[in-house]
Amino acid sequence: MATLEDSFLADLDELSDNEAELDESDGDDAKKDDEDIDMDMADLETLNYDDLDSVSKLQKSQRYLDIMQKVGEALGKASDESEKGTVLEDDPEYKLIVDCNQLSVDIENEIAIVHNFIRDKYRLKFQELESLVNHPIDYARVVKKIGNETDLTLVDLEGLLPSAIIMVVSVTALTTKGSPLPEDVLQKTLEACDRALNLDSARKKVLDFVESKMGSIAPNLSAIVGSAVAAKLMGTAGGLSALAKMPACNVQVLGHKRKNLAGFSSATSQSRVGYLEQTEIFQSTPPALKSRAGRILAAKSTLAARVDATRGDPSGTNGKALREEIRKKIEKWQEPPPARQPKPLPVPDSEPKKRRGGRRLRKMKERYAVTDMRKLANRMAFGTPEESSLGDGLGEGYGMLGQAGSNRLRISSVPSKLKINPTIAKKLKERNYAGGATTSGLTSSLAFTPVQGIELCNPQQALGLGSGTQSTYFSESGTFSKLKKI
């Protein structure tokens, strides 16, 4: 038999062997992690952010080239089969439209990447421009137009920006701290501007193709907002099914551009409205009702997109009915309020309506009755001057108050008929009782007599309060009495 020491030594040997195996496995994992980190660092080193091709790769992808070639061929063909009704899922044209919707989203993301590249490069020349021109395509056009020019008065920006923004850009350029770009950096920036403009033209081409097929893809949505706006909504949302799943509040702001007001008032600017402001219904609505029209357009467009996504009505009847409903609601909002009906005159020589009598009515009359004091104040004696609060007829007049011979305002106290609250009456009684029991502050308990000189006495006896309830045990001024034994 093995002893206890031998078993302990065997356990220690097993533990040491397990630790060695764990150390080896940990070392292998650490080596793998180090290799991964080295590979990642190598990839980051090879990725040159100064090169536009390393960050923008969509235009050179085979998917982009194939879709744009198919779109060009489809636009070149005569659209004889545009009104086919139901589009099947296995139809190649329908698949191309779905691919175009996805490609339009990718193009938007690619434009944002190129816009960031342009801003990073051109920030050394004109840093304030990115806060003055927010839209990526407008920014690319302005950068391409300005280039390395320091005097913006020599650069014609008409047609690229509004006149107010042009004025602000010109004034800001005079105080900028930027310096001209090197030639190689300027060349990369201009190439990025050209790429952004090419991507924007490709996106417009894709939207034109989708717009030409909107009559068969989304007939109900096209009946409400039109084919052009329906294509833009679908392209931005990423397809008809994605648009159908989107809430109406998000559909309302699809395509919304951040506008730079350049210090002007935002009272007339339309906020929270995107592509829907390009619809015919929105444009024909009065300015005061455009915000409400945008909300109802977004709600009905979402319903129509859900009908089209399920192929519920290929004829577009539901879309036309929803459009008519929107038009009627907007017309209803513009109607004037109903005229006020004339109130019939009372019957001539008719007695006033009698009110119900009773204790409650009598109490109300007593509560709001005119007092004698107010009656005298409202009354004036003939040939007698009226006294006033400020004298000489100024201030509030007192009428016949105080004209009984003295200069005081007097009125006889008449007990009120109103019933006082018992709690309030009890408190008043207690207050009066406590106030009557107090003595004057000049009263002293010392008395000077000819026999004993100074003598202590009870001041209450001088007031005649030494008898009755005042001399009892519960008196406030009483003392303990000493009774003589008989």
Side-chain angles (χ1 to χ4, degrees), residues 230-261:
K232 293 177 181 179
L233 291 176
M234 285 181 56
T236 307
L240 185 59
S241 59
L243 181 64
K245 297 176 183 178
M246 191 175 294
C249 57
N250 293 351
V251 174
Q252 184 179 353
V253 296
L254 282 180
H256 172 65
K257 297 180 181 179
R258 182 183 176 186
K259 297 179 182 179
N260 192 350
L261 300 177

Side-chain angles (χ1 to χ4, degrees), residues 1-49:
M1 278 181 74
T3 62
L4 184 62
E5 295 178 359
D6 296 337
S7 61
F8 282 158
L9 290 175
D11 293 338
L12 288 175
D13 292 338
E14 290 179 1
L15 288 174
S16 61
D17 295 339
N18 292 334
E19 288 178 356
E21 293 176 359
L22 290 174
D23 292 339
E24 291 177 358
S25 61
D26 292 341
D28 295 339
D29 295 338
K31 290 180 182 179
K32 290 181 181 178
D33 294 338
D34 293 338
E35 291 176 359
D36 294 338
I37 293 174
D38 294 337
M39 292 176 62
D40 294 339
M41 294 299 295
D43 294 338
L44 290 175
E45 290 176 358
T46 56
L47 186 61
N48 187 9
Y49 285 100

Side-chain angles (χ1 to χ4, degrees), residues 199-267:
L199 286 171
D200 184 61
S201 62
R203 184 177 61 85
K204 291 181 179 178
K205 188 175 181 180
V206 169
L207 290 179
D208 291 340
F209 168 70
V210 177
E211 179 183 348
S212 63
K213 304 299 180 181
M214 275 294 103
S216 57
I217 297 299
N220 297 280
L221 182 61
S222 301
I224 297 177
V225 298
S227 299
V229 178
K232 293 177 181 179
L233 291 176
M234 285 181 56
T236 307
L240 185 59
S241 59
L243 181 64
K245 297 176 183 178
M246 191 175 294
C249 57
N250 293 351
V251 174
Q252 184 179 353
V253 296
L254 282 180
H256 172 65
K257 297 180 181 179
R258 182 183 176 186
K259 297 179 182 179
N260 192 350
L261 300 177
F264 290 93
S265 174
S266 60

Side-chain angles (χ1 to χ4, degrees), residues 58 64 103-112 199 202-203 206:
L58 180 63
Y64 175 85
L103 181 63
S104 63
V105 178
D106 296 339
I107 291 176
E108 288 285 346
N109 298 332
E110 195 75 10
I111 289 175
L199 286 171
R203 184 177 61 85
V206 169

Side-chain angles (χ1 to χ4, degrees), residues 424-438:
I424 300 176
K426 184 178 180 181
K427 289 183 179 179
L428 290 175
K429 185 177 180 181
E430 292 176 355
R431 186 182 304 172
N432 294 333
Y433 180 76
T438 57

